[in-house]
Amino acid sequence: MLLELAQYLARDIRAFNVFGYITLRAVLACLTALAISLIAGPLVIRKLTAYKIGQSVRGDGPKSHLTKAGTPTMGGALILVSIGITTLLWGDLSNRFLWAVLVVTLGFGAIGWVDDYRKVVEGNPKGLSAGKKFFWQSVIGLAAAVYLAFAVSAPSNAKIFDLFSAWVQSGLMMNLPPKADLILPFFKNIAYPLGVFGFITLTYLVIVGTSNAVNLTDGLDGLAIMPAVLVAGGLAVFAFVIGRVDFSKYLLLPYIPGAAELTVFCAALIGAGLGFLWFNAYPAEVFMGDVGALAIGAALGTVAVIVRQEIVLLIMGGVFVAETLSVMLQVLYFKWSGGKRIFRMAPLHHHYELSGWKESQVVVRFWIITMMLVLFGLSTLKLR
C-alpha cells in the first residue's frame, strides 16, 4: 500500500523514489513488524489471560515445566497479524510470490488456530485430530506445490497457464526449465532436474515438513522463534540475490523474477519474531502455540522453494531437523525394541533438560548452533 502511495507521490517529488528500493522497504518492514508486536503484545497477552487461554503441560515432561501451566498461549496470532499488516504496507502487492507465501502462511496459521482453540478453549485435549490436521496441511501444501512448480518456472503469471498447457499437451512428460532444478550447494554446475511431479513432491515435503518441524521445536521459552528469525534472515539474503539478474548471474544461481520481493516478507517475519521474543523469552509471558509454529514453518519452507534453496534450508534449519529426527527415531526404536528409548525424552530439547541442562542453557545453545548453521548456509553463496 505504502509502495503504491510512494510511487504516486514520486511523480511530483523524486525523493519518494527511494521507497522503490527493496533494501529500504525490508528495513522498514522489519521495524514496522517489531513495533506492532511490541505495542500490541501486552494487549494480546491481557486478552488471552482474560479469556483463560492458558497452556496445558504434559504430566510426563520435565517437572520444571509444571510452573508453566496456565501461561497464555496462541500468541502466534500476534506474529501473523504483525507479518500480515507489515507485508501489506511495505510489499509490492502485484508480486505473485508475495501472495503465495502469505496465503500459505495464513492457511497453516488457520489450521494451528483451530487446533489450539479446540485444545485450550473447548477443553478437547486432542484438539484437531492428527488425521484432519495432516489432511488440511496436505491440501494447502499440494495446492502451493502445484502453483509454484509453474510459477517458479514462468517469468510471470501470464505465462503460467501457457507453461501448464504445454505440459498437459506433452502428455505430462515435459521437463521444467533449469531454474526449477534441485540445486546442490557448494557445486557450481550440479543441479538435478526434478520434472513437474518431482518438483511438486519435493515442495510438498518441504512445506509440510518444515511446518511440523518448527512445531515440534516449540517446546521451551524462545526456543523456536529465534532460530526461525535467523533462518528467515538467511533466506532473505538468498531471495535478494536470486531476484536480481546481476547478483544471480555473478553467483551462478538461477534468476527468479520477483523473488527479491520476498526479502520484505522475510524482514517482516524477523521483526515480528523479535517482537514476540520480547514476551516469549524466559520466563515466557506468552507461548506461540500451533497457530504460530505451523505458520512460520510453512512460510520458511515456501520461501526456500521459491529461491531454490531446499537443501540450504535443511542446513540452516538443522535444529529443526534434529528435533524432528529425535522424535522419529525415538518412536521407531521404542516400537522395534519393545519399549526401550534412545533419548531420555523426545523432542531433543527435553533430553538435554533431563540430562541436567537448565532451560535457558538449552535455548541459548540451540540459538548459537542455529547461528553457525545459518552462516554456513550463507557461505554456499560464494563457496561453489
Side-chain angles (χ1 to χ4, degrees), residues 164-185:
F164 178 78
S165 299
W167 176 62
V168 173
Q169 292 172 6
S170 71
L172 310 183
M173 298 298 293
M174 184 187 76
N175 285 326
L176 294 172
K179 66 173 65 178
D181 293 350
L182 177 64
I183 298 174
L184 193 64

Side-chain angles (χ1 to χ4, degrees), residues 5 71 85 100 149 193 265 314 322 347 350 378 381:
L5 176 62
T71 302
I85 293 175
F265 176 87
L314 198 70
H350 289 319
L378 289 173
L381 282 168

Side-chain angles (χ1 to χ4, degrees), residues 68 71-72 221-222 279-287:
K68 300 176 184 286
T71 302
D221 299 354
F279 307 102
N280 185 237
Y282 181 85
E285 300 176 55
V286 65
F287 295 138

Side-chain angles (χ1 to χ4, degrees), residues 66-373:
L66 296 177
T67 58
K68 300 176 184 286
T71 302
T73 187
M74 295 180 70
L78 173 63
I79 301 175
L80 297 186
V81 169
S82 300
I83 292 174
I85 293 175
T86 301
T87 303
L88 293 176
L89 284 176
W90 294 112
D92 179 0
L93 301 186
S94 65
N95 186 278
R96 55 199 173 126
F97 294 129
L98 201 63
W99 283 109
V101 176
L102 269 178
V103 169
V104 171
T105 302
L106 296 178
F108 274 76
I111 296 171
W113 187 88
V114 172
D115 188 38
D116 286 336
Y117 187 86
R118 291 188 178 181
K119 287 179 182 177
V120 180
V121 179
E122 296 182 353
N124 182 355
K126 294 183 179 180
L128 191 63
S129 67
K132 289 183 179 179
K133 185 187 295 186
F134 180 71
F135 171 78
W136 287 113
Q137 286 179 327
S138 297
V139 169
I140 299 173
L142 283 174
V146 172
Y147 173 75
L148 292 178
F150 300 98
V152 167
S153 304
S156 65
N157 271 343
K159 298 294 183 181
I160 290 178
F161 182 74
D162 294 339
L163 185 62
F164 178 78
S165 299
W167 176 62
V168 173
Q169 292 172 6
S170 71
L172 310 183
M173 298 298 293
M174 184 187 76
N175 285 326
L176 294 172
K179 66 173 65 178
D181 293 350
L182 177 64
I183 298 174
L184 193 64
F186 299 111
F187 295 92
K188 290 182 179 180
N189 300 310
I190 298 181
Y192 292 98
L194 295 171
V196 175
F197 290 111
F199 187 102
I200 291 173
T201 301
L202 178 63
T203 300
Y204 166 79
L205 293 174
V206 169
I207 294 175
V208 176
T210 308
S211 175
N212 287 295
V214 173
N215 194 33
L216 287 173
T217 306
D218 184 33
L220 300 179
D221 299 354
L223 178 59
I225 190 61
M226 190 60 185
V229 164
L230 293 171
V231 173
L235 289 175
V237 175
F238 279 100
F240 186 72
V241 168
I242 285 178
R244 288 185 53 129
V245 176
D246 48 355
F247 289 166
S248 58
K249 183 178 180 180
Y250 171 69
L251 293 170
L252 303 177
L253 291 169
Y255 167 57
I256 311 291
E261 195 64 29
L262 294 180
T263 308
V264 177
F265 176 87
C266 290
L269 196 160
I270 292 170
L274 291 176
F276 178 77
L277 182 60
W278 184 272
F279 307 102
N280 185 237
Y282 181 85
E285 300 176 55
V286 65
F287 295 138
M288 191 188 307
D290 285 11
V291 61
L294 291 178
I296 290 173
L300 295 176
T302 306
V303 173
V305 169
I306 294 172
V307 301
R308 312 306 308 126
Q309 299 300 321
E310 297 92 343
I311 296 178
V312 170
L313 173 65
L314 198 70
I315 295 172
M316 295 194 296
V319 165
F320 302 137
V321 175
E323 294 273 29
T324 305
L325 289 177
S326 70
V327 174
M328 295 171 63
L329 291 173
Q330 185 86 321
V331 172
L332 291 174
Y333 186 74
F334 185 86
K335 293 180 178 180
W336 179 78
S337 64
K340 295 182 180 180
R341 292 178 171 83
I342 300 176
F343 306 101
R344 294 175 183 269
M345 186 178 178
L348 191 60
H349 55 264
H350 289 319
H351 169 78
Y352 286 110
E353 275 193 292
L354 295 176
S355 298
W357 290 18
K358 294 180 180 179
E359 179 173 347
S360 57
Q361 287 179 311
V362 177
V363 171
V364 174
R365 287 170 180 173
F366 277 35
W367 288 358
I368 294 171
I369 291 171
T370 301
M371 189 178 300
M372 292 188 294
L373 291 174

